[in-house]
């Protein structure tokens, strides 16, 4: 479980984001880091009952400030992701725990140019399957809508008047559900995270089918 003490630590870290304070409070950080590791392992175990999960990674608390104007050394959250196994299963699950800003979901954050072109071509050919998924009651009740970066007009080689242009314009395909602190502190939080991830499966499975076949529906070798 996530505890109030963990949120209190993150709040204090936000107010004292410097190496001296962090060094002094490192034992407390390590205690909460261990709790987060247990949480991620529990989520993976439960998620593996319905999906083929290769593993998970928890991001480090240390920020990479080399190319950032913001030189604060530490993140004010814990986060990480769960990888699906094999090249046939695309999409990644993401979990981000932060005071008043916990989000759970996933998607396709940075498709390479080849994959992005393939996705756009599929939507150009027909978008009804994707519409069925993202317009479903479960998807809308859980995530609302797809989010992510997109181009302002039509990508090169695509018609700006295409009925599916709202999908074709996208560079990322992400679905996120926000949780209140009260929901995060609930004893049911892990189960709610897993259910949220499971609500992504129709979306992930359809995108996987696109990215592992050509426009004729033949498997890509």
């Amino acid at each position: 479980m996530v505890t109030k003490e963990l949120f209190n630590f993150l709040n204090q870290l936000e107010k004292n984001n410097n190496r001296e304070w962090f060094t002094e409070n490192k034992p407390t950080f390590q205690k909460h880091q261990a709790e987060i590791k247990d949480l991620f392992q529990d989520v993976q175990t439960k998620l593996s009952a319905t999906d083929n999960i290769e593993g998970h990674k928890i991001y480090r608390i240390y920020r990479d400030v080399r190319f950032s104007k913001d030189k604060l050394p530490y993140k004010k959250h814990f986060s990480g992701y769960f990888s699906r196994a094999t090249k046939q299963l695309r999409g990644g699950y993401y979990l981000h725990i932060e005071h008043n800003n916990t989000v759970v979901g996933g998607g396709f954050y940075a498709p390479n140019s080849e994959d992005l072109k393939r996705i756009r071509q599929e939507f150009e050919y027909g978008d009804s399957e994707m519409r069925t998924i993202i317009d479903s009651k479960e998807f809308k009740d859980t995530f609302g809508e797809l989010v992510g970066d997109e181009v302002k007009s039509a990508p090169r080689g695509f018609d700006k008047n295409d009925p599916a242009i709202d999908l074709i314009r996208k560079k990322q395909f992400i679905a996120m559900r926000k949780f209140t602190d009260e929901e995060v502190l609930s004893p049911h939080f892990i189960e709610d995270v897993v259910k949220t991830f499971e609500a992504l499966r129709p979306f992930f499975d359809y995108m996987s089918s696109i990215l592992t076949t050509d426009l004729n529906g033949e498997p890509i070798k």
Side-chain angles (χ1 to χ4, degrees), residues 20-181:
E20 292 76 18
W21 184 91
F22 187 83
T23 299
E24 183 179 343
N25 290 273
K26 194 166 185 178
T28 303
F29 161 72
Q30 291 172 329
K31 171 181 177 292
H32 294 308
Q33 184 184 47
E35 294 169 353
I36 291 296
K37 287 181 178 179
D38 288 343
L39 185 150
F40 268 73
Q41 187 57 58
D42 286 348
V43 170
Q44 179 175 326
T45 299
K46 293 180 182 300
L47 186 59
S48 294
T50 57
D51 201 353
N52 191 352
I53 303 300
E54 185 174 50
H56 67 264
K57 179 178 177 61
I58 300 173
Y59 294 116
R60 298 179 63 189
I61 197 77
Y62 309 98
R63 295 183 63 250
D64 184 354
V65 300
R66 291 174 299 170
F67 308 106
S68 174
K69 292 181 180 179
D70 181 357
K71 298 302 181 181
L72 293 176
Y74 306 105
K75 301 170 185 173
K76 58 180 181 178
H77 62 266
F78 288 103
S79 63
Y81 67 89
F82 302 83
S83 302
R84 304 179 79 202
T86 82
K87 292 182 179 180
Q88 302 301 309
L89 300 178
R90 304 297 182 88
Y93 300 103
Y94 179 69
L95 172 57
H96 175 115
I97 296 174
E98 180 180 350
H99 175 56
N100 287 330
N101 190 36
T102 294
V103 291
V104 178
F108 299 80
Y109 292 83
N112 61 43
S113 57
E114 183 179 349
D115 283 351
L116 185 56
K117 182 179 180 180
R118 174 69 186 89
I119 293 167
R120 286 169 168 168
Q121 287 175 331
E122 184 70 22
F123 295 152
E124 183 182 45
Y125 177 77
D127 62 348
S128 61
E129 289 185 69
M130 178 59 101
R131 301 286 186 197
T132 298
I133 293 168
I134 63 177
D135 290 341
S136 69
K137 186 177 187 303
E138 180 181 33
F139 191 94
K140 284 191 170 296
D141 287 350
T142 306
F143 305 109
E145 60 184 14
L146 284 178
V147 298
D149 293 342
E150 56 184 43
V151 299
K152 292 182 179 180
S153 184
R156 183 176 298 178
F158 293 88
D159 183 359
K160 66 179 181 180
N161 295 314
D162 191 297
I165 194 60
D166 60 315
L167 295 173
I168 293 171
R169 282 205 315 262
K170 291 186 178 299
K171 296 190 293 184
Q172 298 176 315
F173 305 86
I174 301 168
M176 287 293 175
R177 173 187 175 186
K178 190 165 184 176
F179 282 75
T180 66
D181 285 358

